[in-house]
Amino acid sequence: MRSTLPVLCFFLPALALLLLVVGRPHAADPTMDEIMNAVVAVHAEIRANARAMDTLGPSRTGSGVVIGADGLILTIGYLVMEAESLYVLTRQGVSTQADFIAYDHESGFGLLRARQPLGVKPMELGDGDALKQGAKLLVVSAGLGVPVTPVEVASRRTFAGYWEYLLESAIFTMPPHQAHGGAALIAPSGKLVGIGSLRVNDAPGPQIRGIGNMFVPVDVLKPVLAELLKSGRSGRKVWPWLGLYSQEYDGQLIIAKLAEGGPAEQAGLKRGDVILGVAGRKATNLIDFYRLIHARGGAGTEVPLDILTHGSADIEVRRVAIKSADCHGWLRLGN
């Protein structure tokens, strides 16, 4: 009885929310009980020498969604990358270790597989690309507190993250869901359409105040899932990685941090340097910057950055040629 009580507590309000937000489901659609059971808690203990230890910490907890009958779980990649050990907990109290399968830097997704049967029905992947502004959805997580939030799509647009991440058609929702990491974005059909990544302050659009979440649409996973399962990599073109973390400030791109031992650090760039552009082409924001880098070719290509450096006595504009790399070669992912 102890293991089923939390499920009952979650199930009744969640079902009411589903009927309120999206209407009565079709008979063939999964039940709210099946939807919530497919969302599991994911806990990762991280390698002692992990590259992201200082930014993401030695242990991480979030949600994942069971998408395969063999225990395959989809989550957001930062929860599981560089993990030494992984654990999964279902709402019924089933706890088991899991194996790391893949981390895809381009999409931001992570995959793991439970070592023991979870006894839940996998969630089917839906059509995230079809979502328009105003669409009504549910966010479901395995976090404590309120695990279900009715939301609307606030906007669809390109998202650029300071960790050299570019997602061309991210899903932004409101209101915010607190336990967003790896949370499931559910369509009225009961299908999975996105995985939670971040809390943002501009969900309705650039420079528009509105606290919400950014979700990665599952559509970017579908064409590469088979290859990720086979080799741990997507098989897509690997974009150049420079190992710099930049921020937009007052119309400028400023280097906030450098990846230790990464290409940018090896090329002599410093924290506080201002990025003007790439090979004479101006970059006004992170989206411009990443698109200019990607236009140079794949990982390993040379990327000429135009840099404004503040020295002790003067200001210098210089061009720095950086030999790009593959981010996966720098991370300590393991298996």
Side-chain angles (χ1 to χ4, degrees):
M1 185 66 181
R2 293 174 61 187
S3 63
T4 58
L5 183 57
V7 177
L8 294 175
C9 293
F10 288 137
F11 172 70
L12 294 177
L15 179 58
L17 282 172
L18 181 67
L19 295 176
L20 175 65
V21 175
V22 300
R24 187 170 300 279
H26 299 292
D29 292 338
T31 67
M32 193 64 208
D33 202 13
E34 290 172 335
I35 290 171
M36 298 190 70
N37 288 344
V39 180
V40 298
V42 175
H43 179 80
E45 292 294 332
I46 307 303
R47 299 173 186 275
N49 65 345
R51 296 288 195 179
M53 179 69 74
D54 59 338
T55 55
L56 296 175
S59 63
R60 303 163 201 162
T61 300
S63 302
V65 184
V66 180
I67 62 170
D70 60 350
L72 183 66
I73 297 167
L74 176 65
T75 187
I76 198 67
Y78 62 73
L79 289 180
V80 298
M81 71 177 190
E82 300 188 298
E84 185 171 57
S85 56
L86 292 164
Y87 304 87
V88 175
L89 176 65
T90 72
R91 293 184 185 275
Q92 292 81 11
V94 176
S95 178
T96 180
Q97 285 189 287
D99 294 313
F100 173 82
I101 301 299
Y103 165 67
D104 182 34
H105 181 74
E106 281 70 34
S107 68
F109 283 135
L111 290 168
L112 59 153
R113 183 179 285 112
R115 292 184 181 178
Q116 298 178 15
L118 298 176
V120 303
K121 181 180 178 180
M123 196 178 298
E124 187 177 345
L125 301 183
D127 185 4
D129 283 346
L131 296 177
K132 305 297 183 183
Q133 185 176 358
K136 292 177 171 58
L137 308 162
L138 286 181
V139 178
V140 181
S141 72
L144 298 176
V146 180
V148 179
T149 302
V151 299
E152 289 189 3
V153 176
S155 64
R156 296 296 307 270
R157 65 183 195 274
T158 301
F159 172 82
Y162 65 87
W163 58 98
E164 298 187 56
Y165 176 70
L166 185 65
L167 183 63
E168 289 293 348
S169 185
I171 305 169
F172 293 85
T173 63
M174 294 176 68
H177 186 83
Q178 183 176 3
H180 53 264
L185 186 63
I186 309 297
S189 63
K191 295 180 180 180
L192 179 69
V193 292
I195 293 290
S197 178
L198 299 169
R199 178 185 171 99
V200 298
N201 296 321
D202 61 350
Q207 310 302 319
I208 303 175
R209 178 72 177 180
I211 300 175
N213 298 117
M214 187 276 279
F215 286 81
V216 182
V218 297
D219 305 81
V220 298
L221 174 71
K222 293 175 185 177
V224 299
L225 178 56
E227 189 60 35
L228 284 171
L229 294 176
K230 178 181 177 181
S231 66
R233 299 298 300 269
S234 68
R236 290 178 298 216
K237 185 177 186 178
V238 178
W239 298 122
W241 177 75
L242 304 182
L244 55 82
Y245 306 94
S246 48
Q247 296 180 342
E248 299 178 19
Y249 180 75
D250 197 23
Q252 293 183 320
L253 293 179
I254 300 176
I255 297 177
K257 183 181 176 182
L258 295 163
E260 183 180 358
E265 184 183 75
Q266 293 183 29
L269 296 188
K270 304 295 182 184
R271 180 179 177 182
D273 286 348
V274 178
I275 301 169
L276 301 177
V278 179
R281 299 186 63 182
K282 185 178 180 180
T284 58
N285 53 46
L286 283 177
I287 294 175
D288 287 345
F289 180 44
Y290 295 152
R291 285 176 175 167
L292 288 173
I293 292 174
H294 293 178
R296 304 294 301 182
T301 192
E302 186 176 88
V303 180
L305 294 190
D306 298 323
I307 299 293
L308 177 67
T309 300
H310 294 265
S312 57
D314 55 9
I315 297 176
E316 178 188 6
V317 176
R318 60 196 178 102
R319 180 164 293 175
V320 181
I322 302 176
K323 178 72 170 179
S324 68
D326 179 354
C327 179
H328 280 244
W330 180 77
L331 292 170
R332 291 163 178 150
L333 297 174
N335 284 297

